[in-house]
């Protein structure tokens, strides 16, 4: 297929797919223990298929003490009992494939749980054969080996009495980092990866995969609070190219790296096709670095990543996941314009370049939550940050209010299936409170309404199956001077789409680009998020302006 600028685009199933993220512990509980599980997920596969989904990303289901909700693995070859059994997993995979969907698993190999037998052996003695599978250092001047801080703790080091040394952890002290310099450890990881790929899974989402390599010598840093020193260090690409040689290239799979701290240029080093490392990535220049909606900043980010990846990389598009507050609350309007806003954000994510990710519940416009007490929160990151702030003299109520908007628990409240007890998620006591708005916002209501957010996602996703321009079309920003209107085109061969989005609570005007003012009379509105006529019929001021209602989103096909 020729690209609009005459370069050939390599087509691939994972470039054309829409991915649905299942945070299983909050998705559907089949056995009434208050946790979602694999059998509950199996009950809801038709619901996911009906949305038009191609790939399911399943958060970690491995044996774990669950200090970080499964991102602290104690056995890579066992299923955590609260999720189910290996037999449940195998049945799930068969059913997913029977529905012509694919399943990618979460690969967490930067660290394990401190309860993993490998770590228990490693910590047992200085000369244990697995000592070097983790990162151990003697202290310095009565303190840790250096001044780095971790994602979840004031220090990346924890002292271990047993051998009088410190071990390294990029996250919680319960999550010791593996030492990827150890070739034996790497081979053991590759063996585990082959085990899961030989089960028939269709790929991996790779947890903080750019953290595997550490700065040589672990020198002190001038800015401990800026933890980007944890990632993108010398040797990381050698590891990923070895992983590709040893495992990835031998399977028809999809790999998406979770890659914090990267610019577009650095990101391309992980996903450029010729480098044979990963297929695609999540960057965090929005989710980690843009606390609230900022259209100018977002447009700049989209343009720089598109320009860098245009011919040899492949991006992902997301605004929320299990770590980041629900998008309609964080970046949209979850009040008077919740429905329009949810549809607008979906339109944006699905029409920008890259593979779009749907986080469970965003397809019905689920919102963030403000629990009244710190005791209602379950997330280890929230509790560690809360404790650290209080130790620094923070006032409990003030600290809670400050942490609430970006708490990871905003996205971890259970799926809202209906307006009955516990939103139909469980017959038991849910592991985390249900969002109190479940009576108004739930699947049952959305499935019953023609103009629901769910129905809009169905139409949006179905467009992708019919129009390659949505997948492979070149991107160009067409926004005018209006601060709240984001407009852009996607063009491929003879087809051009114009997407126009009003990211505000008030009406806005969008001046059509001059080259299209006469052509626009023939434009067709393929999808819009209001029930009235598309904004095209509102052309006023001589037919060159669109009059956009609050949070109005429209996709036009501009026919030559
Ligand atoms: O949560 C974040 C910011 O609030 C993210 O930066 C996130 O911690 C980071 O992207 C790494 O996330 C991944 O690894 C963590 C785990 O807690 C997260 O759930 C996982 O998505 C450690 O495995």
């Amino acid at each position: 297929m020729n690209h609009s600028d005459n370069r050939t685009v390599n087509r691939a199933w994972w470039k054309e797919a829409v991915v649905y993220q299942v945070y299983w512990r909050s998705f559907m509980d089949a056995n009434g223990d208050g946790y979602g599980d694999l059998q509950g997920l199996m009950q809801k596969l038709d619901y996911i298929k009906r949305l038009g989904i191609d790939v399911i990303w399943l958060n970690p289901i491995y044996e774990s003490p669950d200090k970080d909700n499964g991102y602290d693995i104690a056995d890579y070859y066992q299923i955590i009992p609260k999720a189910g059994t290996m037999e449940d997993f195998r049945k799930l995979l068969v059913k997913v494939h029977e529905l012509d969907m694919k399943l990618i698993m979460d690969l967490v190999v930067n660290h394990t749980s401190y309860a993993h037998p490998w770590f228990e052996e490693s910590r047992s003695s200085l000369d244990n054969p697995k000592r070097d599978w983790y990162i151990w250092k003697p202290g310095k001047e009565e303190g840790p080996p250096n001044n780095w801080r971790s994602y979840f703790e004031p220090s990346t080091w924890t002292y271990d009495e047993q051998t009088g040394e410190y071990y390294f952890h990029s996250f919680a002290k319960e999550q010791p980092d593996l030492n990827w310099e150890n070739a034996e450890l790497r081979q053991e990881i590759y063996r585990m990866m082959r085990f899961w790929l030989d089960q028939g899974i269709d790929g991996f989402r790779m947890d903080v995969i750019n953290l595997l390599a550490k700065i040589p010598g672990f020198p002190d840093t001038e800015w401990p609070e800026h933890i980007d020193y944890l990632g993108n260090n010398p040797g990381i690409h050698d590891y990923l190219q070895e992983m590709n040689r040893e495992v990835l290239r031998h399977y028809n799979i999809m790999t998406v790296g979770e890659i914090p701290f990267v610019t577009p240029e650095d990101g391309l080093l992980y996903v450029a096709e010729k480098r044979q490392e990963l297929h695609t990535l999540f960057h965090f220049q929005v989710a980690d670095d843009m606390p609230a909606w900022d259209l100018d900043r977002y447009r700049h980010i989209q343009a720089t990543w598109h320009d860098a990846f245009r011919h040899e990389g492949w991006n992902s598009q997301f605004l929320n996941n299990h770590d980041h507050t629900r998008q309609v609350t964080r970046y949209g309007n979850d009040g008077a314009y919740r429905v329009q806003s949810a549809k607008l954000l979906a339109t944006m994510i699905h029409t920008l370049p890259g593979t779009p990710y749907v986080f469970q519940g965003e397809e019905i416009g689920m919102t963030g939550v403000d629990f009244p007490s710190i005791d209602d929160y379950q997330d280890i990151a929230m509790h560690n940050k809360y404790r650290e702030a209080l130790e620094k003299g923070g006032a409990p109520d003030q600290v809670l209010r400050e942490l609430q908007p970006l708490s990871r628990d905003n996205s971890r409240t259970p799926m809202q299936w209906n307006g009955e007890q516990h939103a139909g998620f469980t017959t038991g006591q849910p592991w985390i409170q249900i969002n109190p708005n479940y009576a108004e916002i739930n699947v049952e209501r959305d499935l019953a309404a023609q103009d629901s957010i769910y129905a809009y996602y169905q139409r949006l996703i179905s467009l992708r199956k019919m129009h390659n321009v949505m997948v492979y079309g070149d991107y160009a920003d067409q926004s005018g001077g209006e601060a709240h209107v984001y407009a852009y085109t996607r063009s491929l061969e003879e087809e051009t789409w114009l997407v126009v989005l009003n990211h505000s609570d008030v009406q806005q005007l969008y001046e059509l680009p001059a080259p299209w003012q006469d052509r626009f009379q023939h434009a067709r509105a393929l999808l819009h998020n209001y029930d009235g006529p598309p904004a095209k019929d509102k052309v006023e001021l001589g037919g060159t302006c669109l009059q956009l209602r609050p949070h109005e989103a429209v996709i036009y096909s501009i026919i030559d």
Side-chain angles (χ1 to χ4, degrees), residues 6 25-26 36 64 92 109 115 155 159 205 219 306 314 316 336 351 367 408 436 502 549:
N6 299 324
R25 64 186 63 229
S26 299
S64 164
L92 169 69
V109 293
S155 171
Y159 184 72
R205 174 268 188 186
H306 174 261
W314 196 263
S316 302
T351 55
T367 68
R408 302 194 298 178
N502 173 7
R549 289 161 286 192

Side-chain angles (χ1 to χ4, degrees), residues 23 57 59 68-72 106 108 110-111 151-152 171-172 175 205 207-208 211 258-261 284 287-288 321-324 379-381 385 406-408 412:
Y23 195 64
W57 156 27
N59 287 99
D68 185 20
N69 288 10
Y71 282 92
D72 49 319
D106 223 310
V108 187
N110 175 69
H111 48 273
Y151 267 95
F152 298 160
F171 292 91
Q175 296 169 284
R205 174 268 188 186
D207 191 61
V208 286
L211 269 56
E258 183 193 33
I259 314 261
F261 314 130
F284 287 83
D288 272 351
N321 60 24
H322 65 293
D323 293 330
H324 297 281
D379 177 17
I380 187 169
K385 287 173 185 169
L406 296 184
S407 165
R408 302 194 298 178
R412 299 180 178 185

